[in-house]
Amino acid sequence: MIKLAPSILSADFSRLAEQVSLIEQGGADYVHMDVMDGAFVPNITFGGLVVQSMAGRTSLPFDIHLMIEHPEQRLQDFITPQTEFITVHQEACTHLHRVVQQIKSLGVKAGVAINPATPVSALEYILADVDMVLVMSVNPGFGGQKFIPSAMVKISELDEIRKSEELDFVIEVDGGVSLDNARALEAVGTDILVAGSAVFKAEDVPERVRQFKKL
Ligand code: DX5
Ligand code: ZN
């Protein structure tokens, strides 16, 4: 069954813990946390302090998406007992191989994200080392944008490579995910859907999570 990682970017930040308990009630699999620095992406969100403060407030594992420059300088800030994945952007890492090893040495799983204009081939020599590939289906920085269809092609490409080379990374998709495209995303090989506005802007958040999980 496909997993769901609701992104708190679209949640009400004045009551974050309550909002996360709503997705937990609905049966979400992860909490997706979007860290933005105003440099790699035009927006600023939150850093390690907020992530640390959420540890123990939910039993869901954390899926940390770093949209920051020099992530290698900040990895430790995002380590909590609940951190399962830390994902960095291929475009933000000059020494991607080293950063991936650093993440793993901290005892968590390592993910690499690619922007809409970055080809899957840019990951050729790192795929064997990563636990997750995050395919961005919008330009990172904001919630509520329109899904860019070429992400589908990239996901099936990754799924084929994974099968032919017997690799075991999971494929996550992030941006413009809705109930309308979730099934198609699963069909091309997605393991984890990230959904921000489609979950947190719903009238009934736990019910929306259940709808995703039922697909
Ligand atoms: C965008 C973030 C996403 C964002 C997705 O840069 O990485 O996780 O929350 O939001 P929606 O689902 O609204 O497109
Ligand atoms: Zn994200």
Side-chain angles (χ1 to χ4, degrees):
M1 194 168 55
I2 199 150
K3 293 188 168 168
L4 184 69
S7 162
I8 56 170
L9 186 61
S10 298
D12 177 350
F13 276 71
S14 68
R15 45 193 193 100
L16 213 42
E18 282 166 52
Q19 296 267 284
V20 170
S21 78
L22 293 178
I23 59 167
E24 190 168 357
Q25 272 172 45
D29 298 280
Y30 299 97
V31 194
H32 183 85
M33 300 189 180
D34 289 305
V35 178
M36 304 187 188
D37 66 354
F40 179 66
V41 288
N43 200 7
I44 298 179
T45 53
F46 52 83
L49 210 57
V50 169
V51 173
Q52 297 293 338
S53 74
M54 291 303 292
R57 305 299 300 264
T58 168
S59 57
L60 293 177
F62 294 173
D63 173 29
I64 315 276
H65 179 190
L66 298 182
M67 285 159 277
I68 63 175
E69 289 180 356
H70 296 294
E72 71 283 356
Q73 297 173 1
R74 307 236 166 255
L75 296 173
Q76 189 70 52
D77 298 2
F78 303 99
I79 300 296
T80 74
Q82 278 160 269
T83 306
E84 181 161 334
F85 291 102
I86 293 183
T87 296
V88 294
H89 269 260
Q90 184 272 344
E91 303 85 359
C93 298
T94 309
H95 304 289
L96 181 60
H97 185 275
R98 181 185 292 149
V99 182
V100 164
Q101 308 310 324
Q102 258 179 285
I103 296 172
K104 295 206 271 192
S105 75
L106 292 168
V108 299
K109 295 179 185 165
V112 175
I114 48 173
N115 281 336
T118 304
V120 166
S121 60
L123 300 180
E124 184 175 355
Y125 294 102
I126 198 69
L127 284 180
D129 294 277
V130 300
D131 300 295
M132 177 205 280
V133 176
L134 196 181
V135 176
M136 287 305 302
S137 38
V138 297
N139 287 293
F142 305 94
Q145 304 179 77
K146 208 168 156 278
F147 184 86
I148 299 172
S150 55
M152 290 273 185
V153 182
K154 291 200 222 174
I155 294 165
S156 34
E157 226 180 291
L158 281 162
D159 189 41
E160 263 172 43
I161 298 172
R162 173 166 68 173
K163 283 179 187 142
S164 66
E165 297 183 16
E166 295 180 14
L167 298 174
D168 59 3
F169 57 84
V170 296
I171 302 173
E172 181 172 74
V173 63
D174 185 2
V177 171
S178 67
L179 287 173
D180 297 329
N181 57 19
R183 211 190 289 263
L185 285 164
E186 182 175 20
V188 290
T190 307
D191 303 290
I192 307 175
L193 298 169
V194 175
S197 44
V199 170
F200 283 106
K201 302 292 183 210
E203 196 95 357
D204 183 339
V205 171
E207 179 53 24
R208 179 56 55 85
V209 171
R210 274 179 229 117
Q211 289 171 335
F212 267 103
K213 297 288 297 180
K214 254 186 250 153
L215 282 171

